[in-house]
Short mmCIF file of all heavy atoms in Angstrom, two decimals:
data_model
loop_
_atom_site.label_atom_id
_atom_site.label_comp_id
_atom_site.label_asym_id
_atom_site.label_seq_id
_atom_site.Cartn_x
_atom_site.Cartn_y
_atom_site.Cartn_z
N MET V 1 178.55 -2.82 55.61
CA MET V 1 177.64 -2.76 54.53
C MET V 1 177.93 -3.84 53.52
O MET V 1 179.10 -4.03 53.14
CB MET V 1 177.83 -1.37 53.69
CG MET V 1 177.14 -0.27 54.39
SD MET V 1 177.18 1.17 53.22
CE MET V 1 176.47 2.32 54.27
N SER V 2 176.90 -4.41 53.01
CA SER V 2 177.10 -5.43 52.01
C SER V 2 177.12 -4.82 50.64
O SER V 2 176.42 -3.84 50.46
CB SER V 2 176.00 -6.53 52.07
OG SER V 2 174.76 -5.96 51.82
N PRO V 3 177.87 -5.38 49.67
CA PRO V 3 177.86 -4.75 48.36
C PRO V 3 176.50 -4.94 47.66
O PRO V 3 175.78 -5.93 47.95
CB PRO V 3 178.94 -5.52 47.61
CG PRO V 3 179.18 -6.80 48.37
CD PRO V 3 178.73 -6.49 49.82
N ALA V 4 176.12 -3.96 46.87
CA ALA V 4 174.83 -4.03 46.19
C ALA V 4 174.80 -5.20 45.20
O ALA V 4 175.78 -5.46 44.47
CB ALA V 4 174.59 -2.74 45.41
N LYS V 5 173.71 -5.90 45.21
CA LYS V 5 173.59 -7.04 44.24
C LYS V 5 173.20 -6.56 42.91
O LYS V 5 172.27 -5.70 42.71
CB LYS V 5 172.51 -8.05 44.75
CG LYS V 5 172.94 -8.76 45.99
CD LYS V 5 171.89 -9.80 46.37
CE LYS V 5 172.32 -10.57 47.60
NZ LYS V 5 171.36 -11.56 47.93
N LYS V 6 173.83 -7.03 41.84
CA LYS V 6 173.46 -6.67 40.52
C LYS V 6 172.40 -7.63 40.05
O LYS V 6 172.39 -8.79 40.34
CB LYS V 6 174.72 -6.81 39.58
CG LYS V 6 175.69 -5.74 39.82
CD LYS V 6 176.81 -5.85 38.79
CE LYS V 6 177.83 -4.71 38.99
NZ LYS V 6 178.87 -4.73 37.98
N ALA V 7 171.41 -7.07 39.30
CA ALA V 7 170.34 -7.90 38.84
C ALA V 7 170.85 -8.71 37.68
O ALA V 7 171.63 -8.24 36.80
CB ALA V 7 169.18 -6.97 38.35
N VAL V 8 170.48 -9.97 37.68
CA VAL V 8 170.84 -10.83 36.60
C VAL V 8 170.00 -10.53 35.42
O VAL V 8 168.73 -10.49 35.51
CB VAL V 8 170.63 -12.37 37.02
CG1 VAL V 8 171.03 -13.27 35.81
CG2 VAL V 8 171.51 -12.68 38.23
N PRO V 9 170.56 -10.25 34.29
CA PRO V 9 169.76 -9.87 33.10
C PRO V 9 168.93 -11.08 32.59
O PRO V 9 169.34 -12.23 32.55
CB PRO V 9 170.77 -9.49 32.01
CG PRO V 9 172.06 -10.15 32.41
CD PRO V 9 172.04 -10.27 33.90
N ASN V 10 167.70 -10.73 32.28
CA ASN V 10 166.79 -11.81 31.78
C ASN V 10 166.85 -11.72 30.20
O ASN V 10 166.54 -10.77 29.60
CB ASN V 10 165.37 -11.42 32.18
CG ASN V 10 164.45 -12.62 31.95
OD1 ASN V 10 164.77 -13.60 31.30
ND2 ASN V 10 163.23 -12.54 32.53
N ASN V 11 167.28 -12.80 29.62
CA ASN V 11 167.51 -12.88 28.17
C ASN V 11 166.31 -13.30 27.39
O ASN V 11 166.42 -13.45 26.20
CB ASN V 11 168.75 -13.75 27.88
CG ASN V 11 170.04 -13.16 28.32
OD1 ASN V 11 170.17 -11.96 28.39
ND2 ASN V 11 170.94 -14.01 28.66
N ILE V 12 165.14 -13.42 28.01
CA ILE V 12 163.94 -13.80 27.29
C ILE V 12 163.58 -12.77 26.26
O ILE V 12 163.16 -13.07 25.21
CB ILE V 12 162.85 -14.13 28.23
CG1 ILE V 12 161.63 -14.75 27.47
CG2 ILE V 12 162.33 -12.91 29.00
CD1 ILE V 12 161.84 -16.23 27.31
N TYR V 13 163.75 -11.49 26.64
CA TYR V 13 163.34 -10.42 25.68
C TYR V 13 164.29 -10.35 24.50
O TYR V 13 163.94 -10.07 23.42
CB TYR V 13 163.23 -9.09 26.40
CG TYR V 13 162.16 -9.09 27.48
CD1 TYR V 13 162.45 -8.97 28.81
CD2 TYR V 13 160.77 -9.27 27.15
CE1 TYR V 13 161.45 -9.05 29.80
CE2 TYR V 13 159.81 -9.31 28.09
CZ TYR V 13 160.16 -9.20 29.38
OH TYR V 13 159.21 -9.32 30.36
N THR V 14 165.56 -10.59 24.76
CA THR V 14 166.58 -10.58 23.72
C THR V 14 166.26 -11.80 22.80
O THR V 14 166.32 -11.58 21.53
CB THR V 14 167.99 -10.76 24.33
OG1 THR V 14 168.21 -9.70 25.31
CG2 THR V 14 169.04 -10.73 23.25
N ALA V 15 165.90 -12.92 23.31
CA ALA V 15 165.51 -14.04 22.46
C ALA V 15 164.32 -13.77 21.59
O ALA V 15 164.28 -14.13 20.46
CB ALA V 15 165.39 -15.32 23.33
N MET V 16 163.34 -13.12 22.23
CA MET V 16 162.14 -12.77 21.48
C MET V 16 162.38 -11.85 20.44
O MET V 16 161.87 -11.90 19.30
CB MET V 16 161.05 -12.23 22.45
CG MET V 16 160.46 -13.28 23.37
SD MET V 16 159.41 -12.58 24.63
CE MET V 16 158.14 -11.77 23.74
N LEU V 17 163.19 -10.81 20.58
CA LEU V 17 163.61 -9.84 19.65
C LEU V 17 164.36 -10.51 18.52
O LEU V 17 164.14 -10.22 17.29
CB LEU V 17 164.42 -8.73 20.26
CG LEU V 17 164.89 -7.55 19.35
CD1 LEU V 17 163.66 -6.85 18.76
CD2 LEU V 17 165.79 -6.64 20.09
N ALA V 18 165.29 -11.38 18.85
CA ALA V 18 166.05 -12.15 17.79
C ALA V 18 165.07 -12.96 16.99
O ALA V 18 165.21 -13.00 15.74
CB ALA V 18 167.07 -13.04 18.47
N MET V 19 164.14 -13.65 17.58
CA MET V 19 163.25 -14.50 16.79
C MET V 19 162.32 -13.63 15.92
O MET V 19 162.07 -14.02 14.75
CB MET V 19 162.34 -15.32 17.74
CG MET V 19 163.10 -16.46 18.32
SD MET V 19 162.08 -17.69 19.20
CE MET V 19 161.09 -16.75 20.31
N ALA V 20 161.86 -12.54 16.39
CA ALA V 20 161.05 -11.61 15.55
C ALA V 20 161.80 -11.05 14.39
O ALA V 20 161.32 -11.02 13.24
CB ALA V 20 160.52 -10.47 16.44
N THR V 21 163.11 -10.76 14.64
CA THR V 21 163.96 -10.24 13.54
C THR V 21 164.17 -11.35 12.47
O THR V 21 164.07 -11.07 11.32
CB THR V 21 165.29 -9.80 14.07
OG1 THR V 21 165.01 -8.75 15.02
CG2 THR V 21 166.21 -9.14 13.05
N VAL V 22 164.41 -12.60 12.95
CA VAL V 22 164.61 -13.67 11.97
C VAL V 22 163.33 -13.92 11.22
O VAL V 22 163.41 -14.17 9.96
CB VAL V 22 165.08 -14.95 12.73
CG1 VAL V 22 165.00 -16.21 11.88
CG2 VAL V 22 166.48 -14.72 13.31
N VAL V 23 162.16 -13.86 11.85
CA VAL V 23 160.99 -14.15 11.16
C VAL V 23 160.71 -13.01 10.13
O VAL V 23 160.29 -13.27 8.96
CB VAL V 23 159.74 -14.12 12.14
CG1 VAL V 23 158.37 -14.03 11.48
CG2 VAL V 23 159.85 -15.45 12.94
N MET V 24 161.04 -11.72 10.46
CA MET V 24 160.79 -10.61 9.47
C MET V 24 161.79 -10.78 8.24
O MET V 24 161.35 -10.62 7.14
CB MET V 24 161.15 -9.23 10.09
CG MET V 24 159.96 -8.75 10.96
SD MET V 24 160.17 -7.08 11.66
CE MET V 24 161.49 -6.40 10.80
N LEU V 25 163.07 -11.14 8.51
CA LEU V 25 163.96 -11.34 7.47
C LEU V 25 163.56 -12.56 6.58
O LEU V 25 163.64 -12.48 5.33
CB LEU V 25 165.34 -11.56 8.02
CG LEU V 25 166.07 -10.33 8.58
CD1 LEU V 25 167.38 -10.65 9.24
CD2 LEU V 25 166.25 -9.28 7.43
N ALA V 26 163.12 -13.62 7.20
CA ALA V 26 162.73 -14.79 6.42
C ALA V 26 161.45 -14.43 5.60
O ALA V 26 161.35 -14.90 4.45
CB ALA V 26 162.40 -15.93 7.41
N THR V 27 160.57 -13.69 6.10
CA THR V 27 159.41 -13.21 5.35
C THR V 27 159.83 -12.40 4.10
O THR V 27 159.32 -12.60 3.03
CB THR V 27 158.40 -12.46 6.18
OG1 THR V 27 157.99 -13.30 7.31
CG2 THR V 27 157.15 -12.07 5.42
N ALA V 28 160.76 -11.46 4.35
CA ALA V 28 161.15 -10.60 3.15
C ALA V 28 161.87 -11.46 2.11
O ALA V 28 161.64 -11.32 0.91
CB ALA V 28 162.13 -9.51 3.73
N VAL V 29 162.67 -12.44 2.49
CA VAL V 29 163.36 -13.33 1.59
C VAL V 29 162.34 -14.19 0.86
O VAL V 29 162.40 -14.38 -0.35
CB VAL V 29 164.44 -14.24 2.30
CG1 VAL V 29 164.89 -15.38 1.44
CG2 VAL V 29 165.60 -13.38 2.77
N PHE V 30 161.33 -14.66 1.52
CA PHE V 30 160.29 -15.51 0.95
C PHE V 30 159.52 -14.76 -0.11
O PHE V 30 159.21 -15.20 -1.19
CB PHE V 30 159.31 -16.12 1.99
CG PHE V 30 158.24 -16.84 1.42
CD1 PHE V 30 158.38 -18.06 0.81
CD2 PHE V 30 156.90 -16.28 1.41
CE1 PHE V 30 157.34 -18.77 0.30
CE2 PHE V 30 155.85 -16.99 0.91
CZ PHE V 30 156.05 -18.21 0.29
N ILE V 31 159.13 -13.51 0.21
CA ILE V 31 158.43 -12.65 -0.70
C ILE V 31 159.27 -12.29 -1.94
O ILE V 31 158.80 -12.34 -3.07
CB ILE V 31 157.92 -11.32 -0.01
CG1 ILE V 31 156.86 -11.75 0.98
CG2 ILE V 31 157.42 -10.31 -1.00
CD1 ILE V 31 156.38 -10.53 1.91
N ALA V 32 160.55 -12.00 -1.67
CA ALA V 32 161.47 -11.76 -2.90
C ALA V 32 161.55 -13.03 -3.76
O ALA V 32 161.51 -12.93 -4.94
CB ALA V 32 162.78 -11.30 -2.39
N TYR V 33 161.67 -14.16 -3.14
CA TYR V 33 161.81 -15.37 -3.88
C TYR V 33 160.50 -15.71 -4.68
O TYR V 33 160.60 -16.04 -5.84
CB TYR V 33 162.05 -16.58 -2.91
CG TYR V 33 162.01 -17.93 -3.61
CD1 TYR V 33 162.98 -18.38 -4.41
CD2 TYR V 33 160.85 -18.73 -3.45
CE1 TYR V 33 162.96 -19.61 -5.05
CE2 TYR V 33 160.74 -19.95 -4.01
CZ TYR V 33 161.79 -20.41 -4.85
OH TYR V 33 161.73 -21.64 -5.44
N LYS V 34 159.34 -15.49 -3.99
CA LYS V 34 158.06 -15.71 -4.84
C LYS V 34 157.93 -14.72 -5.94
O LYS V 34 157.45 -15.10 -7.01
CB LYS V 34 156.86 -15.62 -3.84
CG LYS V 34 156.71 -16.78 -2.87
CD LYS V 34 156.43 -18.08 -3.64
CE LYS V 34 155.17 -18.12 -4.21
NZ LYS V 34 154.83 -19.37 -4.94
N CYS V 35 158.26 -13.46 -5.71
CA CYS V 35 158.20 -12.46 -6.81
C CYS V 35 159.18 -12.84 -7.95
O CYS V 35 158.80 -12.72 -9.10
CB CYS V 35 158.47 -11.11 -6.30
SG CYS V 35 157.17 -10.34 -5.28
N PHE V 36 160.36 -13.33 -7.54
CA PHE V 36 161.34 -13.69 -8.61
C PHE V 36 160.80 -14.89 -9.36
O PHE V 36 160.99 -14.92 -10.62
CB PHE V 36 162.67 -13.96 -7.95
CG PHE V 36 163.73 -14.20 -8.99
CD1 PHE V 36 164.29 -13.18 -9.65
CD2 PHE V 36 164.19 -15.52 -9.21
CE1 PHE V 36 165.24 -13.47 -10.65
CE2 PHE V 36 165.16 -15.78 -10.16
CZ PHE V 36 165.69 -14.68 -10.79
N THR V 37 160.21 -15.94 -8.70
CA THR V 37 159.80 -17.10 -9.44
C THR V 37 158.52 -16.80 -10.29
O THR V 37 158.38 -17.35 -11.34
CB THR V 37 159.50 -18.26 -8.50
OG1 THR V 37 158.60 -17.91 -7.56
CG2 THR V 37 160.81 -18.66 -7.86
N ASP V 38 157.61 -15.96 -9.76
CA ASP V 38 156.44 -15.69 -10.49
C ASP V 38 156.61 -14.62 -11.58
O ASP V 38 155.98 -14.71 -12.72
CB ASP V 38 155.37 -15.14 -9.55
CG ASP V 38 154.82 -16.20 -8.60
OD1 ASP V 38 155.16 -17.34 -8.83
OD2 ASP V 38 154.14 -15.85 -7.55
N TYR V 39 157.43 -13.62 -11.39
CA TYR V 39 157.57 -12.48 -12.33
C TYR V 39 158.97 -12.33 -12.99
O TYR V 39 159.27 -11.42 -13.71
CB TYR V 39 157.22 -11.26 -11.67
CG TYR V 39 155.88 -11.15 -11.05
CD1 TYR V 39 155.63 -11.23 -9.69
CD2 TYR V 39 154.70 -11.09 -11.85
CE1 TYR V 39 154.42 -11.23 -9.14
CE2 TYR V 39 153.49 -11.11 -11.38
CZ TYR V 39 153.31 -11.18 -9.97
OH TYR V 39 152.06 -11.12 -9.42
N ASP V 40 159.89 -13.24 -12.62
CA ASP V 40 161.25 -13.32 -13.07
C ASP V 40 162.09 -12.11 -12.65
O ASP V 40 163.11 -11.87 -13.16
CB ASP V 40 161.29 -13.42 -14.69
CG ASP V 40 160.83 -14.74 -15.15
OD1 ASP V 40 160.94 -15.71 -14.40
OD2 ASP V 40 160.27 -14.73 -16.26
N THR V 41 161.53 -11.29 -11.82
CA THR V 41 162.34 -10.15 -11.17
C THR V 41 161.51 -9.81 -9.94
O THR V 41 160.40 -10.02 -9.77
CB THR V 41 162.46 -9.05 -12.11
OG1 THR V 41 163.24 -8.04 -11.48
CG2 THR V 41 161.10 -8.35 -12.49
N VAL V 42 162.23 -9.19 -8.98
CA VAL V 42 161.67 -8.76 -7.74
C VAL V 42 160.85 -7.49 -7.99
O VAL V 42 159.78 -7.26 -7.26
CB VAL V 42 162.70 -8.60 -6.64
CG1 VAL V 42 162.13 -8.10 -5.32
CG2 VAL V 42 163.47 -9.86 -6.43
N PHE V 43 161.23 -6.58 -8.88
CA PHE V 43 160.59 -5.32 -8.99
C PHE V 43 159.71 -5.13 -10.14
O PHE V 43 159.10 -4.11 -10.39
CB PHE V 43 161.65 -4.24 -9.06
CG PHE V 43 162.63 -4.24 -7.89
CD1 PHE V 43 163.91 -4.73 -7.96
CD2 PHE V 43 162.17 -3.74 -6.65
CE1 PHE V 43 164.75 -4.74 -6.90
CE2 PHE V 43 163.02 -3.80 -5.55
CZ PHE V 43 164.35 -4.27 -5.69
N LYS V 44 159.44 -6.17 -10.90
CA LYS V 44 158.47 -6.13 -12.01
C LYS V 44 157.10 -5.81 -11.61
O LYS V 44 156.35 -5.09 -12.30
CB LYS V 44 158.57 -7.44 -12.87
CG LYS V 44 157.84 -7.38 -14.13
CD LYS V 44 158.02 -8.67 -14.87
CE LYS V 44 157.32 -8.61 -16.21
NZ LYS V 44 157.51 -9.86 -16.96
N VAL V 45 156.66 -6.35 -10.51
CA VAL V 45 155.35 -6.12 -10.02
C VAL V 45 155.01 -4.68 -9.71
O VAL V 45 153.99 -4.15 -9.96
CB VAL V 45 154.97 -6.99 -8.79
CG1 VAL V 45 155.72 -6.52 -7.55
CG2 VAL V 45 153.49 -7.03 -8.53
N MET V 46 156.13 -3.91 -9.36
CA MET V 46 155.96 -2.45 -9.18
C MET V 46 155.74 -1.79 -10.47
O MET V 46 155.04 -0.81 -10.54
CB MET V 46 157.18 -1.89 -8.40
CG MET V 46 157.29 -2.39 -7.02
SD MET V 46 158.68 -2.01 -6.01
CE MET V 46 159.08 -0.37 -6.54
N ASP V 47 156.45 -2.17 -11.57
CA ASP V 47 156.26 -1.60 -12.86
C ASP V 47 154.87 -1.89 -13.38
O ASP V 47 154.33 -1.01 -14.08
CB ASP V 47 157.30 -2.11 -13.79
CG ASP V 47 158.71 -1.59 -13.48
OD1 ASP V 47 158.81 -0.61 -12.85
OD2 ASP V 47 159.65 -2.30 -13.94
N ALA V 48 154.30 -2.96 -13.09
CA ALA V 48 152.93 -3.36 -13.59
C ALA V 48 151.87 -2.47 -12.89
O ALA V 48 150.81 -2.24 -13.46
CB ALA V 48 152.65 -4.82 -13.33
N ALA V 49 152.19 -2.04 -11.70
CA ALA V 49 151.17 -1.21 -10.98
C ALA V 49 151.07 0.25 -11.56
O ALA V 49 150.10 0.90 -11.30
CB ALA V 49 151.52 -1.17 -9.47
N ARG V 50 152.02 0.68 -12.26
CA ARG V 50 152.06 2.03 -12.85
C ARG V 50 151.17 2.15 -14.02
O ARG V 50 150.75 1.39 -14.63
CB ARG V 50 153.46 2.43 -13.18
CG ARG V 50 154.33 2.61 -11.95
CD ARG V 50 155.68 3.04 -12.33
NE ARG V 50 156.53 3.11 -11.14
CZ ARG V 50 157.79 3.34 -11.20
NH1 ARG V 50 158.42 3.62 -12.35
NH2 ARG V 50 158.50 3.35 -10.03
#
């Protein structure tokens, strides 16, 4: 009997997940930066909505 071959993991999905996570974090940082530059705080826009 020959030993069972192990499947080589395909890292394309890991790379896609990593890129999506980086894009989400970069978007959150960009939004926080824009809110800070426009309103001088990140949470002031929430106070204005009340």
